[in-house]
Amino acid sequence: MQLMADTAVRYGVVNGYDADQNLEAGVRHLKYLFKKYNGNIPLTLAAYNAGEEAVEKYKGVPPYREPGICQAVMNYMG
């Protein structure tokens, strides 16, 4: 999973290349974001991808090209 340095530190990741540490931290972070955004999956994905600050700044999914990834995941989920 993609973890920014500050996020990795927050969840105690010592080695970002260690799959167990990386996945555990990534899942914990997604769980945190899911709770923060009250189960709103598009906001959770946008915050994971673009950062919580961007979601707060734009009061929703940021208008970046990359958050198209959020829609792709939503489409995959059905």
Side-chain angles (χ1 to χ4, degrees):
M1 297 185 82
Q2 175 186 351
L3 292 176
M4 301 303 289
D6 289 346
T7 303
V9 169
R10 179 189 307 174
Y11 295 106
V13 174
V14 177
N15 178 359
Y17 295 105
D18 180 303
D20 290 335
Q21 289 182 37
N22 186 294
L23 287 170
E24 182 176 341
V27 169
R28 287 176 59 201
H29 188 54
L30 281 169
K31 182 178 177 180
Y32 158 77
L33 293 171
F34 187 74
K35 286 182 179 181
K36 178 176 181 170
Y37 295 107
N38 298 313
N40 184 309
I41 293 174
L43 289 182
T44 298
L45 295 172
Y48 185 84
N49 187 58
E52 297 169 70
E53 299 83 11
V55 171
E56 302 304 321
K57 177 180 177 181
Y58 290 102
K59 297 179 178 27
V61 176
Y64 308 150
R65 288 180 125 188
E66 289 178 350
I69 293 168
C70 298
Q71 187 59 50
V73 171
M74 294 297 296
N75 290 342
Y76 181 77
M77 291 174 60

